[in-house]
Amino acid sequence: MLLKKNIKAGKINFLLLTVFIALIINNVLANSIPKSETTAELSVLDKVSSKNINIQLKVGEEVFFQNLSIKILKCYNSEFDDDPEVTAYMQVKDKTKNDNDKVFVFNDWTFASSPSIKPFDHPVYDVWLKKCYS
């Protein structure tokens, strides 16, 4: 008597095992990627009048302040409790300049604890990241 292997059942079991492993890997990777907060708080200093104004804006939303157009694309709080770091990817346009060569006055990551690492350089305004929250 010749024994026949059930190849069809083996292929189905292998396919189910592959899908299950892919779902587990996807879940582990999704939990390891930091989630962006939904709201950022900025402090804007008008150097001419010496007035400091706090602005709250949603991530991805563009806010107009005087001659500036400010947009936060991503905003993160660090996972560490000892010395939390707040970082954000910020884009700032000066509406008074019509240069097509230089669209953004600032287009980079900014840090709440050390704004001098990537300074925002504008003759009239200073913009600082204060905090990010949901």
Side-chain angles (χ1 to χ4, degrees):
M1 179 159 123
L2 199 59
L3 292 176
K4 293 184 181 180
K5 293 183 180 177
N6 191 349
I7 295 175
K8 190 180 245 185
K11 286 182 180 179
I12 292 173
N13 287 340
F14 179 73
L15 181 65
L16 289 174
L17 180 65
T18 305
V19 169
F20 180 70
I21 289 173
L23 289 173
I24 288 176
I25 290 172
N26 185 29
N27 190 23
V28 168
L29 290 177
N31 289 336
S32 66
I33 297 171
K35 307 245 184 322
S36 179
E37 302 293 337
T38 58
T39 306
E41 186 173 330
L42 303 174
S43 182
V44 181
L45 172 67
D46 185 348
K47 296 177 188 176
V48 176
S49 65
S50 298
K51 290 186 179 179
N52 194 12
I53 297 160
N54 291 333
I55 299 174
Q56 294 177 349
L57 64 145
K58 301 261 184 217
V59 172
E61 184 178 289
E62 192 171 16
V63 172
F64 296 98
F65 175 78
Q66 304 291 336
N67 297 328
L68 297 179
S69 166
I70 304 169
K71 186 175 186 180
I72 300 289
L73 297 177
K74 300 210 181 270
C75 199
Y76 296 111
N77 287 320
S78 68
E79 299 283 327
F80 306 110
D81 293 335
D82 296 345
D83 190 17
E85 180 63 70
V86 180
T87 58
Y89 193 85
M90 181 171 61
Q91 293 179 333
V92 181
K93 293 180 189 176
D94 190 350
K95 293 298 184 181
T96 59
K97 294 184 180 181
N98 293 328
D99 296 342
N100 289 335
D101 295 337
K102 189 173 181 181
V103 176
F104 295 107
V105 176
F106 186 83
N107 185 20
D108 209 343
W109 288 95
T110 183
F111 304 92
S113 65
S114 311
S116 62
I117 292 175
K118 300 279 185 171
F120 174 78
D121 189 27
H122 192 272
V124 180
Y125 303 106
D126 275 340
V127 179
W128 291 285
L129 174 67
K130 290 181 74 176
K131 60 182 174 180
C132 297
Y133 52 90
S134 294

